[in-house]
Amino acid sequence: MEKKAILLDEKDNVATCTSEAQPEDMVICHGGGSAQVKAVETIPIWHKIALKLIAKGEMVYKYGEIIGETLQDIPQGGWVSHENIRSIPRDYASEYAMGKEDK
């Protein structure tokens, strides 16, 4: 069955499913980029699906920004959740200053 997901930025390695996806469902991603991936496990509605293998220790990108680091390998089509990623500290003041310099 075909399902849809939101992909906000071309550099994102996850997308947000707009309905629950079951194993073998093809998830078609639209938004700021496009991709398709087959779910390998159940992905709850409004949760993230990995668009490629995301190796342990790799950064997870959503919104074109780092939202966390993986605690274990997440297979392509796998559920990206609080159980397999962790938040990482960010220096927002420096990031904001760097963004202002680019303008």
Side-chain angles (χ1 to χ4, degrees), residues 26-73:
M26 185 58 68
V27 178
I28 310 298
C29 308
H30 302 280
S34 63
Q36 63 181 34
V37 61
K38 187 183 293 187
V40 297
E41 60 185 308
T42 300
I43 313 293
I45 185 172
W46 305 122
H47 283 247
K48 296 173 291 299
I49 187 170
L51 301 178
K52 64 175 197 76
L53 167 67
I54 309 173
K56 180 180 180 181
E58 207 174 319
M59 297 300 113
V60 177
Y61 286 86
K62 183 177 176 182
Y63 321 111
E65 302 284 334
I66 295 170
I67 63 162
E69 176 184 21
T70 57
L71 299 171
Q72 62 194 52
D73 288 353

mmCIF file of all heavy atoms in Angstrom, residues 26-73:
data_model
loop_
_atom_site.group_PDB
_atom_site.id
_atom_site.type_symbol
_atom_site.label_atom_id
_atom_site.label_comp_id
_atom_site.label_asym_id
_atom_site.label_seq_id
_atom_site.Cartn_x
_atom_site.Cartn_y
_atom_site.Cartn_z
ATOM 1 N N MET A 26 4.971 1.326 0.745
ATOM 2 C CA MET A 26 5.848 2.287 0.087
ATOM 3 C C MET A 26 5.462 3.672 0.584
ATOM 4 O O MET A 26 4.307 4.073 0.466
ATOM 5 C CB MET A 26 5.719 2.199 -1.437
ATOM 6 C CG MET A 26 6.679 3.090 -2.184
ATOM 7 S SD MET A 26 8.440 2.799 -1.811
ATOM 8 C CE MET A 26 8.693 1.177 -2.517
ATOM 9 N N VAL A 27 6.425 4.372 1.154
ATOM 10 C CA VAL A 27 6.179 5.714 1.694
ATOM 11 C C VAL A 27 6.745 6.727 0.698
ATOM 12 O O VAL A 27 7.941 6.728 0.409
ATOM 13 C CB VAL A 27 6.818 5.874 3.090
ATOM 14 C CG1 VAL A 27 6.597 7.279 3.631
ATOM 15 C CG2 VAL A 27 6.257 4.817 4.057
ATOM 16 N N ILE A 28 5.853 7.566 0.177
ATOM 17 C CA ILE A 28 6.207 8.585 -0.810
ATOM 18 C C ILE A 28 6.316 9.920 -0.074
ATOM 19 O O ILE A 28 5.356 10.357 0.567
ATOM 20 C CB ILE A 28 5.136 8.681 -1.928
ATOM 21 C CG1 ILE A 28 4.815 7.298 -2.506
ATOM 22 C CG2 ILE A 28 5.568 9.674 -2.996
ATOM 23 C CD1 ILE A 28 5.970 6.588 -3.159
ATOM 24 N N CYS A 29 7.473 10.567 -0.183
ATOM 25 C CA CYS A 29 7.753 11.796 0.553
ATOM 26 C C CYS A 29 7.688 13.004 -0.366
ATOM 27 O O CYS A 29 8.239 12.978 -1.474
ATOM 28 C CB CYS A 29 9.145 11.723 1.180
ATOM 29 S SG CYS A 29 9.438 10.235 2.157
ATOM 30 N N HIS A 30 7.036 14.054 0.123
ATOM 31 C CA HIS A 30 6.896 15.308 -0.614
ATOM 32 C C HIS A 30 7.123 16.472 0.339
ATOM 33 O O HIS A 30 6.994 16.325 1.537
ATOM 34 C CB HIS A 30 5.490 15.442 -1.214
ATOM 35 C CG HIS A 30 5.116 14.343 -2.124
ATOM 36 N ND1 HIS A 30 5.536 14.280 -3.424
ATOM 37 C CD2 HIS A 30 4.354 13.239 -1.926
ATOM 38 C CE1 HIS A 30 5.048 13.187 -3.991
ATOM 39 N NE2 HIS A 30 4.322 12.532 -3.094
ATOM 40 N N GLY A 31 7.395 17.622 -0.209
ATOM 41 C CA GLY A 31 7.564 18.841 0.590
ATOM 42 C C GLY A 31 8.757 19.607 0.059
ATOM 43 O O GLY A 31 8.795 19.950 -1.117
ATOM 44 N N GLY A 32 9.753 19.836 0.922
ATOM 45 C CA GLY A 32 10.964 20.540 0.515
ATOM 46 C C GLY A 32 11.919 19.658 -0.268
ATOM 47 O O GLY A 32 12.960 20.102 -0.723
ATOM 48 N N GLY A 33 11.578 18.410 -0.432
ATOM 49 C CA GLY A 33 12.351 17.443 -1.202
ATOM 50 C C GLY A 33 11.421 16.304 -1.556
ATOM 51 O O GLY A 33 10.239 16.326 -1.209
ATOM 52 N N SER A 34 11.932 15.310 -2.253
ATOM 53 C CA SER A 34 11.107 14.150 -2.568
ATOM 54 C C SER A 34 11.948 12.893 -2.447
ATOM 55 O O SER A 34 13.155 12.914 -2.679
ATOM 56 C CB SER A 34 10.504 14.257 -3.966
ATOM 57 O OG SER A 34 11.522 14.280 -4.941
ATOM 58 N N ALA A 35 11.294 11.818 -2.039
ATOM 59 C CA ALA A 35 11.958 10.522 -1.884
ATOM 60 C C ALA A 35 10.872 9.469 -1.739
ATOM 61 O O ALA A 35 9.699 9.796 -1.560
ATOM 62 C CB ALA A 35 12.859 10.527 -0.647
ATOM 63 N N GLN A 36 11.270 8.230 -1.834
ATOM 64 C CA GLN A 36 10.370 7.133 -1.502
ATOM 65 C C GLN A 36 11.177 6.043 -0.838
ATOM 66 O O GLN A 36 12.352 5.844 -1.139
ATOM 67 C CB GLN A 36 9.602 6.620 -2.709
ATOM 68 C CG GLN A 36 10.406 6.030 -3.817
ATOM 69 C CD GLN A 36 9.499 5.587 -4.966
ATOM 70 O OE1 GLN A 36 8.477 6.202 -5.255
ATOM 71 N NE2 GLN A 36 9.881 4.521 -5.619
ATOM 72 N N VAL A 37 10.542 5.370 0.098
ATOM 73 C CA VAL A 37 11.213 4.336 0.881
ATOM 74 C C VAL A 37 10.176 3.308 1.315
ATOM 75 O O VAL A 37 9.025 3.651 1.584
ATOM 76 C CB VAL A 37 11.946 4.959 2.104
ATOM 77 C CG1 VAL A 37 10.982 5.661 3.031
ATOM 78 C CG2 VAL A 37 12.782 3.943 2.840
ATOM 79 N N LYS A 38 10.573 2.055 1.381
ATOM 80 C CA LYS A 38 9.678 0.992 1.838
ATOM 81 C C LYS A 38 9.846 0.825 3.348
ATOM 82 O O LYS A 38 10.961 0.675 3.853
ATOM 83 C CB LYS A 38 10.011 -0.322 1.140
ATOM 84 C CG LYS A 38 9.006 -1.431 1.447
ATOM 85 C CD LYS A 38 9.384 -2.741 0.823
ATOM 86 C CE LYS A 38 9.304 -2.658 -0.679
ATOM 87 N NZ LYS A 38 9.504 -3.980 -1.306
ATOM 88 N N ALA A 39 8.741 0.874 4.080
ATOM 89 C CA ALA A 39 8.774 0.677 5.528
ATOM 90 C C ALA A 39 9.189 -0.756 5.848
ATOM 91 O O ALA A 39 8.738 -1.698 5.191
ATOM 92 C CB ALA A 39 7.417 0.985 6.140
ATOM 93 N N VAL A 40 10.055 -0.907 6.852
ATOM 94 C CA VAL A 40 10.487 -2.242 7.269
ATOM 95 C C VAL A 40 9.885 -2.639 8.610
ATOM 96 O O VAL A 40 10.080 -3.758 9.073
ATOM 97 C CB VAL A 40 12.033 -2.364 7.314
ATOM 98 C CG1 VAL A 40 12.619 -2.177 5.929
ATOM 99 C CG2 VAL A 40 12.646 -1.399 8.309
ATOM 100 N N GLU A 41 9.179 -1.698 9.221
ATOM 101 C CA GLU A 41 8.474 -1.961 10.473
ATOM 102 C C GLU A 41 7.316 -0.966 10.554
ATOM 103 O O GLU A 41 7.208 -0.076 9.723
ATOM 104 C CB GLU A 41 9.408 -1.821 11.674
ATOM 105 C CG GLU A 41 10.022 -0.448 11.836
ATOM 106 C CD GLU A 41 11.045 -0.402 12.968
ATOM 107 O OE1 GLU A 41 10.705 -0.829 14.090
ATOM 108 O OE2 GLU A 41 12.167 0.077 12.725
ATOM 109 N N THR A 42 6.455 -1.120 11.543
ATOM 110 C CA THR A 42 5.343 -0.193 11.693
ATOM 111 C C THR A 42 5.875 1.175 12.120
ATOM 112 O O THR A 42 6.654 1.270 13.068
ATOM 113 C CB THR A 42 4.338 -0.712 12.737
ATOM 114 O OG1 THR A 42 3.841 -1.986 12.294
ATOM 115 C CG2 THR A 42 3.175 0.249 12.919
ATOM 116 N N ILE A 43 5.453 2.204 11.394
ATOM 117 C CA ILE A 43 5.810 3.584 11.724
ATOM 118 C C ILE A 43 4.500 4.277 12.111
ATOM 119 O O ILE A 43 3.608 4.433 11.274
ATOM 120 C CB ILE A 43 6.443 4.331 10.518
ATOM 121 C CG1 ILE A 43 7.525 3.504 9.815
ATOM 122 C CG2 ILE A 43 6.936 5.713 10.961
ATOM 123 C CD1 ILE A 43 8.765 3.244 10.602
ATOM 124 N N PRO A 44 4.362 4.690 13.377
ATOM 125 C CA PRO A 44 3.115 5.358 13.790
ATOM 126 C C PRO A 44 2.911 6.685 13.055
ATOM 127 O O PRO A 44 3.877 7.317 12.615
ATOM 128 C CB PRO A 44 3.318 5.594 15.294
ATOM 129 C CG PRO A 44 4.381 4.625 15.704
ATOM 130 C CD PRO A 44 5.274 4.495 14.500
ATOM 131 N N ILE A 45 1.661 7.099 12.968
ATOM 132 C CA ILE A 45 1.337 8.378 12.359
ATOM 133 C C ILE A 45 2.110 9.498 13.061
ATOM 134 O O ILE A 45 2.263 9.479 14.283
ATOM 135 C CB ILE A 45 -0.193 8.645 12.391
ATOM 136 C CG1 ILE A 45 -0.534 9.931 11.629
ATOM 137 C CG2 ILE A 45 -0.725 8.663 13.806
ATOM 138 C CD1 ILE A 45 -2.027 10.156 11.446
ATOM 139 N N TRP A 46 2.600 10.453 12.282
ATOM 140 C CA TRP A 46 3.366 11.626 12.726
ATOM 141 C C TRP A 46 4.729 11.274 13.304
ATOM 142 O O TRP A 46 5.357 12.105 13.952
ATOM 143 C CB TRP A 46 2.558 12.507 13.687
ATOM 144 C CG TRP A 46 1.248 12.926 13.107
ATOM 145 C CD1 TRP A 46 0.016 12.687 13.627
ATOM 146 C CD2 TRP A 46 1.022 13.628 11.876
ATOM 147 N NE1 TRP A 46 -0.966 13.191 12.800
ATOM 148 C CE2 TRP A 46 -0.366 13.784 11.705
ATOM 149 C CE3 TRP A 46 1.859 14.134 10.880
ATOM 150 C CZ2 TRP A 46 -0.942 14.426 10.621
ATOM 151 C CZ3 TRP A 46 1.271 14.776 9.788
ATOM 152 C CH2 TRP A 46 -0.094 14.917 9.673
ATOM 153 N N HIS A 47 5.201 10.043 13.054
ATOM 154 C CA HIS A 47 6.545 9.659 13.489
ATOM 155 C C HIS A 47 7.476 9.633 12.277
ATOM 156 O O HIS A 47 7.051 9.680 11.135
ATOM 157 C CB HIS A 47 6.520 8.313 14.203
ATOM 158 C CG HIS A 47 5.995 8.411 15.596
ATOM 159 N ND1 HIS A 47 6.781 8.190 16.703
ATOM 160 C CD2 HIS A 47 4.770 8.736 16.067
ATOM 161 C CE1 HIS A 47 6.067 8.359 17.794
ATOM 162 N NE2 HIS A 47 4.833 8.685 17.431
ATOM 163 N N LYS A 48 8.763 9.540 12.564
ATOM 164 C CA LYS A 48 9.793 9.641 11.525
ATOM 165 C C LYS A 48 10.175 8.275 10.975
ATOM 166 O O LYS A 48 10.272 7.304 11.722
ATOM 167 C CB LYS A 48 11.036 10.336 12.092
ATOM 168 C CG LYS A 48 10.758 11.783 12.510
ATOM 169 C CD LYS A 48 11.927 12.410 13.231
ATOM 170 C CE LYS A 48 12.205 11.848 14.590
ATOM 171 N NZ LYS A 48 11.138 11.976 15.570
ATOM 172 N N ILE A 49 10.432 8.252 9.652
ATOM 173 C CA ILE A 49 10.937 7.066 8.958
ATOM 174 C C ILE A 49 12.316 7.413 8.394
ATOM 175 O O ILE A 49 12.526 8.521 7.897
ATOM 176 C CB ILE A 49 9.960 6.610 7.845
ATOM 177 C CG1 ILE A 49 10.416 5.280 7.252
ATOM 178 C CG2 ILE A 49 9.761 7.675 6.777
ATOM 179 C CD1 ILE A 49 9.393 4.628 6.324
ATOM 180 N N ALA A 50 13.249 6.480 8.511
ATOM 181 C CA ALA A 50 14.596 6.687 7.980
ATOM 182 C C ALA A 50 14.582 6.532 6.466
ATOM 183 O O ALA A 50 14.093 5.537 5.936
ATOM 184 C CB ALA A 50 15.572 5.688 8.595
ATOM 185 N N LEU A 51 15.125 7.521 5.773
ATOM 186 C CA LEU A 51 15.156 7.486 4.310
ATOM 187 C C LEU A 51 16.334 6.693 3.770
ATOM 188 O O LEU A 51 16.357 6.332 2.594
ATOM 189 C CB LEU A 51 15.200 8.911 3.760
ATOM 190 C CG LEU A 51 14.021 9.788 4.165
ATOM 191 C CD1 LEU A 51 14.194 11.190 3.611
ATOM 192 C CD2 LEU A 51 12.712 9.164 3.685
ATOM 193 N N LYS A 52 17.312 6.420 4.626
ATOM 194 C CA LYS A 52 18.492 5.621 4.277
ATOM 195 C C LYS A 52 18.973 4.980 5.564
ATOM 196 O O LYS A 52 18.484 5.311 6.646
ATOM 197 C CB LYS A 52 19.581 6.513 3.677
ATOM 198 C CG LYS A 52 20.132 7.546 4.653
ATOM 199 C CD LYS A 52 21.290 8.315 4.046
ATOM 200 C CE LYS A 52 22.108 9.040 5.094
ATOM 201 N NZ LYS A 52 23.003 8.225 5.876
ATOM 202 N N LEU A 53 19.916 4.082 5.456
ATOM 203 C CA LEU A 53 20.540 3.537 6.660
ATOM 204 C C LEU A 53 21.199 4.700 7.391
ATOM 205 O O LEU A 53 21.972 5.464 6.792
ATOM 206 C CB LEU A 53 21.590 2.489 6.302
ATOM 207 C CG LEU A 53 22.520 2.074 7.445
ATOM 208 C CD1 LEU A 53 21.774 1.326 8.530
ATOM 209 C CD2 LEU A 53 23.671 1.251 6.924
ATOM 210 N N ILE A 54 20.882 4.865 8.658
ATOM 211 C CA ILE A 54 21.529 5.883 9.489
ATOM 212 C C ILE A 54 22.340 5.111 10.531
ATOM 213 O O ILE A 54 21.781 4.476 11.428
ATOM 214 C CB ILE A 54 20.511 6.830 10.155
ATOM 215 C CG1 ILE A 54 19.516 7.397 9.131
ATOM 216 C CG2 ILE A 54 21.245 7.969 10.862
ATOM 217 C CD1 ILE A 54 18.388 8.210 9.749
ATOM 218 N N ALA A 55 23.649 5.137 10.385
ATOM 219 C CA ALA A 55 24.531 4.341 11.235
ATOM 220 C C ALA A 55 24.612 4.892 12.657
ATOM 221 O O ALA A 55 24.391 6.086 12.890
ATOM 222 C CB ALA A 55 25.932 4.295 10.622
ATOM 223 N N LYS A 56 24.943 4.024 13.596
ATOM 224 C CA LYS A 56 25.122 4.420 14.991
ATOM 225 C C LYS A 56 26.111 5.581 15.061
ATOM 226 O O LYS A 56 27.166 5.546 14.432
ATOM 227 C CB LYS A 56 25.642 3.244 15.809
ATOM 228 C CG LYS A 56 25.854 3.581 17.272
ATOM 229 C CD LYS A 56 26.368 2.399 18.055
ATOM 230 C CE LYS A 56 26.557 2.807 19.511
ATOM 231 N NZ LYS A 56 27.091 1.676 20.298
ATOM 232 N N GLY A 57 25.730 6.637 15.785
ATOM 233 C CA GLY A 57 26.598 7.799 15.949
ATOM 234 C C GLY A 57 26.433 8.865 14.883
ATOM 235 O O GLY A 57 27.018 9.937 14.974
ATOM 236 N N GLU A 58 25.609 8.571 13.879
ATOM 237 C CA GLU A 58 25.375 9.531 12.796
ATOM 238 C C GLU A 58 24.319 10.547 13.234
ATOM 239 O O GLU A 58 23.463 10.257 14.066
ATOM 240 C CB GLU A 58 24.885 8.775 11.555
ATOM 241 C CG GLU A 58 25.211 9.446 10.259
ATOM 242 C CD GLU A 58 24.834 8.578 9.054
ATOM 243 O OE1 GLU A 58 25.047 7.354 9.088
ATOM 244 O OE2 GLU A 58 24.306 9.158 8.098
ATOM 245 N N MET A 59 24.385 11.741 12.658
ATOM 246 C CA MET A 59 23.418 12.787 12.959
ATOM 247 C C MET A 59 22.108 12.539 12.200
ATOM 248 O O MET A 59 22.120 12.052 11.070
ATOM 249 C CB MET A 59 23.944 14.162 12.561
ATOM 250 C CG MET A 59 25.181 14.608 13.310
ATOM 251 S SD MET A 59 24.955 14.734 15.091
ATOM 252 C CE MET A 59 26.026 13.413 15.663
ATOM 253 N N VAL A 60 20.998 12.872 12.845
ATOM 254 C CA VAL A 60 19.669 12.770 12.248
ATOM 255 C C VAL A 60 19.243 14.185 11.853
ATOM 256 O O VAL A 60 19.271 15.094 12.682
ATOM 257 C CB VAL A 60 18.657 12.156 13.233
ATOM 258 C CG1 VAL A 60 17.265 12.119 12.625
ATOM 259 C CG2 VAL A 60 19.099 10.762 13.661
ATOM 260 N N TYR A 61 18.876 14.355 10.581
ATOM 261 C CA TYR A 61 18.479 15.659 10.057
ATOM 262 C C TYR A 61 16.987 15.698 9.766
ATOM 263 O O TYR A 61 16.454 14.823 9.094
ATOM 264 C CB TYR A 61 19.218 15.970 8.759
ATOM 265 C CG TYR A 61 20.666 16.323 8.961
ATOM 266 C CD1 TYR A 61 21.643 15.335 9.035
ATOM 267 C CD2 TYR A 61 21.065 17.651 9.078
ATOM 268 C CE1 TYR A 61 22.974 15.659 9.227
ATOM 269 C CE2 TYR A 61 22.397 17.984 9.267
ATOM 270 C CZ TYR A 61 23.344 16.983 9.337
ATOM 271 O OH TYR A 61 24.661 17.306 9.529
ATOM 272 N N LYS A 62 16.329 16.742 10.287
ATOM 273 C CA LYS A 62 14.936 17.049 9.985
ATOM 274 C C LYS A 62 14.844 18.565 9.979
ATOM 275 O O LYS A 62 15.510 19.220 10.789
ATOM 276 C CB LYS A 62 14.009 16.453 11.054
ATOM 277 C CG LYS A 62 12.537 16.675 10.780
ATOM 278 C CD LYS A 62 11.688 15.978 11.844
ATOM 279 C CE LYS A 62 10.226 16.293 11.608
ATOM 280 N NZ LYS A 62 9.394 15.679 12.657
ATOM 281 N N TYR A 63 14.037 19.110 9.105
ATOM 282 C CA TYR A 63 13.939 20.571 8.928
ATOM 283 C C TYR A 63 15.252 21.150 8.379
ATOM 284 O O TYR A 63 15.505 22.341 8.500
ATOM 285 C CB TYR A 63 13.626 21.332 10.228
ATOM 286 C CG TYR A 63 12.658 20.714 11.176
ATOM 287 C CD1 TYR A 63 13.081 20.214 12.398
ATOM 288 C CD2 TYR A 63 11.302 20.632 10.859
ATOM 289 C CE1 TYR A 63 12.192 19.653 13.292
ATOM 290 C CE2 TYR A 63 10.398 20.071 11.753
ATOM 291 C CZ TYR A 63 10.853 19.581 12.969
ATOM 292 O OH TYR A 63 9.966 19.028 13.853
ATOM 293 N N GLY A 64 16.132 20.308 7.855
ATOM 294 C CA GLY A 64 17.437 20.769 7.413
ATOM 295 C C GLY A 64 18.382 21.007 8.575
ATOM 296 O O GLY A 64 19.465 21.560 8.402
ATOM 297 N N GLU A 65 17.999 20.584 9.772
ATOM 298 C CA GLU A 65 18.771 20.799 10.995
ATOM 299 C C GLU A 65 19.026 19.468 11.682
ATOM 300 O O GLU A 65 18.256 18.519 11.523
ATOM 301 C CB GLU A 65 17.980 21.689 11.969
ATOM 302 C CG GLU A 65 17.598 23.039 11.427
ATOM 303 C CD GLU A 65 18.767 24.001 11.384
ATOM 304 O OE1 GLU A 65 19.713 23.840 12.172
ATOM 305 O OE2 GLU A 65 18.726 24.923 10.547
ATOM 306 N N ILE A 66 20.081 19.423 12.487
ATOM 307 C CA ILE A 66 20.357 18.235 13.286
ATOM 308 C C ILE A 66 19.359 18.201 14.439
ATOM 309 O O ILE A 66 19.230 19.174 15.186
ATOM 310 C CB ILE A 66 21.797 18.256 13.831
ATOM 311 C CG1 ILE A 66 22.798 18.177 12.678
ATOM 312 C CG2 ILE A 66 22.010 17.122 14.831
ATOM 313 C CD1 ILE A 66 24.240 18.422 13.081
ATOM 314 N N ILE A 67 18.652 17.080 14.568
ATOM 315 C CA ILE A 67 17.712 16.926 15.686
ATOM 316 C C ILE A 67 18.195 15.884 16.689
ATOM 317 O O ILE A 67 17.591 15.715 17.737
ATOM 318 C CB ILE A 67 16.287 16.572 15.206
ATOM 319 C CG1 ILE A 67 16.262 15.223 14.490
ATOM 320 C CG2 ILE A 67 15.717 17.686 14.349
ATOM 321 C CD1 ILE A 67 14.872 14.621 14.371
ATOM 322 N N GLY A 68 19.269 15.179 16.369
ATOM 323 C CA GLY A 68 19.776 14.179 17.292
ATOM 324 C C GLY A 68 20.867 13.333 16.676
ATOM 325 O O GLY A 68 21.278 13.545 15.531
ATOM 326 N N GLU A 69 21.306 12.365 17.464
ATOM 327 C CA GLU A 69 22.353 11.418 17.064
ATOM 328 C C GLU A 69 21.831 10.013 17.324
ATOM 329 O O GLU A 69 21.173 9.776 18.348
ATOM 330 C CB GLU A 69 23.605 11.683 17.906
ATOM 331 C CG GLU A 69 24.731 10.716 17.676
ATOM 332 C CD GLU A 69 25.901 10.967 18.609
ATOM 333 O OE1 GLU A 69 25.720 11.602 19.673
ATOM 334 O OE2 GLU A 69 26.994 10.509 18.288
ATOM 335 N N THR A 70 22.127 9.098 16.423
ATOM 336 C CA THR A 70 21.613 7.737 16.589
ATOM 337 C C THR A 70 22.357 6.987 17.684
ATOM 338 O O THR A 70 23.563 7.136 17.860
ATOM 339 C CB THR A 70 21.715 6.940 15.279
ATOM 340 O OG1 THR A 70 23.061 6.929 14.849
ATOM 341 C CG2 THR A 70 20.844 7.542 14.193
ATOM 342 N N LEU A 71 21.617 6.171 18.414
ATOM 343 C CA LEU A 71 22.183 5.321 19.459
ATOM 344 C C LEU A 71 22.492 3.925 18.931
ATOM 345 O O LEU A 71 23.190 3.150 19.585
ATOM 346 C CB LEU A 71 21.199 5.213 20.630
ATOM 347 C CG LEU A 71 20.857 6.530 21.324
ATOM 348 C CD1 LEU A 71 19.720 6.325 22.324
ATOM 349 C CD2 LEU A 71 22.094 7.092 22.005
ATOM 350 N N GLN A 72 21.946 3.616 17.757
ATOM 351 C CA GLN A 72 22.144 2.313 17.114
ATOM 352 C C GLN A 72 21.895 2.506 15.621
ATOM 353 O O GLN A 72 21.389 3.543 15.207
ATOM 354 C CB GLN A 72 21.166 1.284 17.676
ATOM 355 C CG GLN A 72 19.708 1.655 17.411
ATOM 356 C CD GLN A 72 18.726 0.843 18.229
ATOM 357 O OE1 GLN A 72 18.844 0.754 19.433
ATOM 358 N NE2 GLN A 72 17.767 0.242 17.544
ATOM 359 N N ASP A 73 22.290 1.534 14.831
ATOM 360 C CA ASP A 73 21.965 1.598 13.403
ATOM 361 C C ASP A 73 20.455 1.602 13.239
ATOM 362 O O ASP A 73 19.744 0.857 13.914
ATOM 363 C CB ASP A 73 22.518 0.382 12.653
ATOM 364 C CG ASP A 73 24.029 0.394 12.502
ATOM 365 O OD1 ASP A 73 24.670 1.413 12.863
ATOM 366 O OD2 ASP A 73 24.579 -0.619 12.029
#
